[in-house]
Amino acid sequence: MKKTTYAIMTLLLAVSWSCNDQAFLDRPPTALLSEDQVYANDDVILSVLGNLYNRYEEIGTTKNWGSISGLNEAYWSNSGSYGAFQNSGVPLAIAVDINNNYNNFWNYGYIRDINQFIEKITAADKITQASKDRFLAEGRFLRASFYFELVKRFGGVPLILETLTYDFSGDPTYLQYPRAKESEVYDFIIKEAEEIKSKLPSSVGEKSRATKGAALAMESRAALYAGSIAKYGVKTTTVSLPGGEVGIDPSKAAGYYTIALRAAKEIIGGSAGGYALFKKKPDLSENFAQLFYDKANNPEVIFVEDFQLKFKTLYFTGANQPRFGAEEEEGGRINPSLNLVQSFEKLDNTFAPIPTGTSSGSGTPIVYDNQLDIFAGRDARLGGTVMLPGSQFKGRTIDIFAGVRVPDGTIISGDDRGAQKTLPGTTVPRQVVGFDGPIDGFEFTAQTGFYIRKYQDPIVGSGRRGTQSEVWFIRYRYAEVLLNAAEASFELGNNVDAAGYMNQVRERAGLTKALTPAEITFDRVVHERRAEFAFEGLEFYDIKRWRIGQDIFDGNPISSVSELTSNIGKATKIRTQPWSLWPYKIFAPGTPNDGKWIYQEKKLSRVTGASRWTLGLYYFNIPDDVISNNPKIIRNPNQ
């Protein structure tokens, strides 16, 4: 692309209609630069690099609210999504059409543009060596990041590391590359991270550009994924290809875990800067929620996609905030499931159902003075991840209750938010349903009894379409580094260190009773990541790399409360349907229980299917047109 030019500014010319100055009109345009000019100026190069950052490819992010809330961790309370819970197919792995969006992810045009940027920076001779080193390292970071996204979805892919140009000879075979082995792609990502880390700044304050911390965090995550696939791939022997394009030799597992631990320890040791867990508020649930929107000296965040009001904004809060009383009456789409809520453990490190009193089969509900009492004494991450009935958001109490229980045990409810009815023995109508629901089938209410809290912007105005939010999306953070180190240590047989790393994260969540080395198990590793990273786009890939999808999503419905509430904390606990927890207000004038609360587990009427994970979900289809254009590309297994 020798003649490529780059527009870097808008040129406004006020020229009189009568102007006939030919010399003026023939002047070269000042809004366009040649390639030589572009790669001779740091600011202009940064604008080109900014375009590549802005095209950073990923799927599970807050830009698509459904993409982070699958796996039956939530119910989607908009009627257009009800069908997703009425079949026994894909378990809402990520809320996109797998046959389209995932397959369209095969974006080698983006790789070509990054390769070209790397080549131009390599040849640039009019910028300082320091600038050249950093720009080159950033380009390689972005290229490795995208190959990481590709290998997570497709397994081994062609590794194209130079700009390819068709010569119009009629023979395109020299442009056709075969798929690399899955292990070779991971090895490339690890190698790139190692080679560029020293060329990137050790700057905790830099969040939206690549840093040494970001490179090491990517390396640690990639090596951990590769190690897991090598170790646990033996559980699904048919999920492999003879040439290694899919599947990694088990003998490589320990080596990858060692790399994952080493990279994590570099960050933990401070060589990439002083990263630390976010600890600003004494209320640990509020502290955890604030972690995701606080941009002021946030030591935990390593690498993000940033947003800024008036320039680049996000509608996640508008789509998911409690709808009643919200700006423009918008929100309510993600309703976290009881399955997720009950998984947050008690402060004594034990797992237990949310105590309604009815799950045991006794039929006698437990009465609570306040709505939040039922959730007391649990992992503080629960309240920072999920909006619970009676909690606060934007200065308002979340008004969630499904009806009123009168003295004879009857439930009186309504079919509209804040519905009112006249109760027995009274003459004045009173509210019998929360303004935030839940009402079965009434979209945008808290149909599961919960709203999402994580990534919600508490700033007034953030729910308006014209304003939106500037809350960033976190791609890497320090808590993941600690849990990567914990998992890698566990897999390498060092439970002492594993417990030490894991307990740091748990202590921040209020779990002050330290786990002993003997208590570090695979179930604990899986649980800790689920609790810490819910709705962050990571769980789907965790399930894939551990090869436990077919165990969690076996296609069988959760037929009873006892089945729902058993085996909490097990990595392979069945999660084929999202369940709900509905609060009811007691109406019993003259008795001690009047105005108090009871709860009941419920399966919504629209949840009629049960999710089934097929082996084909571990790797996605390579698009047919890709295979047609390149006969060296072989299909993935089980497709």
Side-chain angles (χ1 to χ4, degrees):
M1 297 179 64
K2 300 293 186 182
K3 303 295 184 182
T4 300
T5 57
Y6 296 84
I8 62 169
M9 65 185 73
T10 300
L11 182 64
L12 299 177
L13 296 176
V15 181
S16 168
W17 66 272
S18 62
C19 177
N20 60 2
D21 187 338
Q22 192 64 40
F24 175 83
L25 295 176
D26 286 343
R27 291 189 308 172
T30 58
L32 300 175
L33 298 179
S34 68
E35 273 188 352
D36 288 342
Q37 291 173 312
V38 166
Y39 290 97
N41 181 285
D42 282 15
D43 291 336
V44 182
I45 293 172
L46 187 58
S47 73
V48 178
L49 182 62
N51 174 267
L52 296 176
Y53 271 109
N54 201 45
R55 293 162 60 194
Y56 187 102
E57 295 273 6
E58 57 199 334
I59 292 177
T61 79
T62 48
K63 289 188 291 189
N64 176 349
W65 60 264
S67 71
I68 61 169
S69 57
L71 301 164
N72 292 326
E73 298 288 58
Y75 178 78
W76 299 333
S77 189
N78 58 306
S79 60
S81 296
Y82 291 168
F85 302 91
Q86 297 169 0
N87 63 71
S88 296
V90 175
L92 305 179
I94 285 186
V96 293
D97 183 346
I98 287 176
N99 293 322
N100 294 312
N101 294 53
Y102 267 115
N103 294 346
N104 291 340
F105 201 81
W106 192 277
N107 185 359
Y108 272 83
Y110 181 49
I111 290 177
R112 187 181 195 279
D113 288 347
I114 297 176
N115 283 338
Q116 186 179 66
F117 176 81
I118 291 172
E119 290 164 4
K120 295 299 181 183
I121 291 296
T122 300
D125 58 4
K126 293 183 173 60
I127 57 175
T128 66
Q129 188 62 45
S131 293
K132 188 170 184 175
D133 287 346
R134 183 175 183 184
F135 286 138
L136 189 59
E138 287 181 277
R140 292 172 70 182
F141 172 82
L142 290 172
R143 184 174 62 182
S145 294
F146 185 57
Y147 274 115
F148 189 14
E149 295 297 319
L150 285 173
V151 74
K152 287 191 296 184
R153 290 161 177 78
F154 301 106
V157 296
L159 276 170
I160 311 297
L161 305 180
E162 61 183 358
T163 301
L164 302 180
T165 303
Y166 182 49
D167 61 10
F168 296 97
S169 66
D171 179 13
T173 55
Y174 71 98
L175 299 175
Q176 296 170 345
Y177 281 60
R179 296 174 63 181
K181 293 180 179 179
E182 185 170 15
S183 60
E184 290 173 340
V185 180
Y186 278 109
D187 291 344
F188 167 74
I189 297 163
I190 292 166
K191 177 176 178 291
E192 289 290 277
E194 276 296 300
E195 291 183 359
I196 67 175
K197 66 183 183 183
S198 63
K199 306 294 185 181
L200 293 167
S202 297
S203 174
V204 177
E206 181 68 73
K207 307 294 187 184
S208 58
R209 289 180 68 179
T211 59
K212 183 177 182 180
L216 287 168
M218 176 181 68
E219 179 181 5
S220 179
R221 185 190 289 180
L224 190 69
Y225 282 22
S228 304
I229 293 166
K231 178 174 180 177
Y232 296 105
V234 296
K235 296 171 59 178
T236 53
T237 56
T238 61
V239 184
S240 62
L241 288 171
E245 297 89 352
V246 166
I248 299 177
D249 192 302
S251 65
K252 295 178 177 288
Y256 283 126
Y257 285 130
T258 300
I259 293 170
L261 179 59
R262 184 195 68 213
K265 289 175 74 172
E266 280 196 59
I267 299 175
I268 296 167
S271 73
Y275 293 102
L277 293 173
F278 183 92
K279 296 180 180 180
K280 287 190 178 182
K281 284 197 169 186
D283 183 316
L284 299 182
S285 290
E286 284 300 311
N287 182 77
F288 190 67
Q290 186 172 326
L291 154 64
F292 296 92
Y293 62 79
D294 190 335
K295 297 183 179 182
N297 300 315
N298 190 325
E300 181 160 346
V301 172
I302 297 174
F303 182 57
V304 305
E305 178 175 13
D306 207 356
F307 297 88
Q308 185 176 358
L309 293 180
K310 298 182 180 181
F311 297 100
K312 180 183 178 183
T313 55
L314 187 70
Y315 196 58
F316 184 82
T317 298
N320 295 293
Q321 64 189 338
R323 193 179 184 92
F324 177 74
E327 302 99 330
E328 301 175 3
E329 276 282 302
E330 182 64 290
R333 287 168 175 80
I334 296 178
N335 292 182
S337 65
L338 175 56
N339 315 56
L340 173 66
V341 168
Q342 71 176 5
S343 72
F344 288 89
E345 64 196 284
K346 297 171 67 176
L347 295 180
D348 62 1
N349 299 346
T350 62
F351 296 95
I354 304 296
T356 63
T358 56
S359 60
S360 64
S362 67
T364 303
I366 299 172
V367 176
Y368 291 94
D369 291 343
N370 301 295
Q371 280 190 297
L372 288 171
D373 290 350
I374 193 172
F375 308 105
R378 289 190 178 251
D379 184 333
R381 288 172 293 192
L382 171 58
T385 303
V386 176
M387 288 188 197
L388 305 169
S391 61
Q392 298 282 315
F393 184 66
K394 290 188 177 181
R396 187 177 71 83
T397 300
I398 311 303
D399 188 29
I400 298 175
F401 71 99
V404 172
R405 192 185 76 164
V406 299
D408 67 359
T410 303
I411 298 295
I412 296 178
S413 187
D415 58 5
D416 198 3
R417 296 180 298 170
Q420 294 189 347
K421 291 188 177 178
T422 302
L423 301 181
T426 69
T427 58
V428 179
R430 62 184 292 170
Q431 183 183 345
V432 295
V433 178
F435 280 100
D436 292 309
I439 304 168
D440 194 357
F442 196 118
E443 65 177 344
F444 307 124
T445 63
Q447 292 190 57
T448 62
F450 309 103
Y451 289 121
I452 185 173
R453 178 68 185 91
K454 187 176 283 188
Y455 277 120
Q456 294 269 33
D457 189 341
I459 301 300
V460 175
S462 58
R464 295 193 185 103
R465 291 184 181 276
T467 304
Q468 302 195 33
S469 171
E470 63 179 4
V471 170
W472 54 21
F473 176 74
I474 301 172
R475 289 164 171 154
Y476 294 103
R477 60 185 178 95
Y478 186 66
E480 183 191 357
V481 173
L482 288 171
L483 292 185
N484 288 352
E487 182 177 347
S489 297
F490 164 74
E491 296 290 4
L492 292 169
N494 186 345
N495 280 26
V496 173
D497 285 355
Y501 294 126
M502 189 178 291
N503 282 328
Q504 291 181 55
V505 179
R506 291 169 61 81
E507 184 274 333
R508 194 258 301 272
L511 296 156
T512 56
K513 182 181 178 182
L515 292 175
T516 66
E519 292 175 307
I520 304 299
T521 63
F522 178 72
D523 286 336
R524 277 287 178 188
V525 168
V526 173
H527 161 74
E528 202 59 39
R529 291 183 68 90
R530 183 185 184 193
E532 182 70 24
F533 304 126
F535 305 125
E536 294 184 45
L538 297 179
E539 189 180 15
F540 177 58
Y541 300 104
D542 283 343
I543 288 173
K544 284 180 62 174
R545 66 186 176 90
W546 291 321
R547 297 296 195 260
I548 57 177
Q550 68 281 357
D551 300 319
I552 298 172
F553 305 101
D554 65 1
N556 294 310
I558 300 174
S559 57
S560 66
V561 173
S562 61
E563 185 177 5
L564 169 73
T565 57
S566 63
N567 298 317
I568 300 173
K570 293 290 291 182
T572 55
K573 176 174 173 51
I574 300 301
R575 201 196 313 166
T576 55
Q577 297 173 312
W579 275 62
S580 307
L581 183 69
W582 282 15
Y584 297 92
K585 185 178 290 187
I586 297 173
F587 176 72
T591 72
N593 288 339
D594 185 49
K596 295 183 179 181
W597 300 90
I598 60 172
Y599 285 81
Q600 178 64 57
E601 302 89 346
K602 181 179 178 65
K603 181 157 55 174
L604 298 172
S605 63
R606 271 65 172 179
V607 179
T608 57
S611 301
R612 182 181 299 278
W613 183 290
T614 64
L615 294 180
L617 279 177
Y618 283 112
Y619 296 92
F620 293 114
N621 284 317
I622 295 174
D624 288 340
D625 62 328
V626 171
I627 295 175
S628 296
N629 292 331
N630 184 358
K632 295 180 181 178
I633 300 291
I634 61 173
R635 292 188 183 277
N636 273 333
N638 308 298
Q639 305 293 350

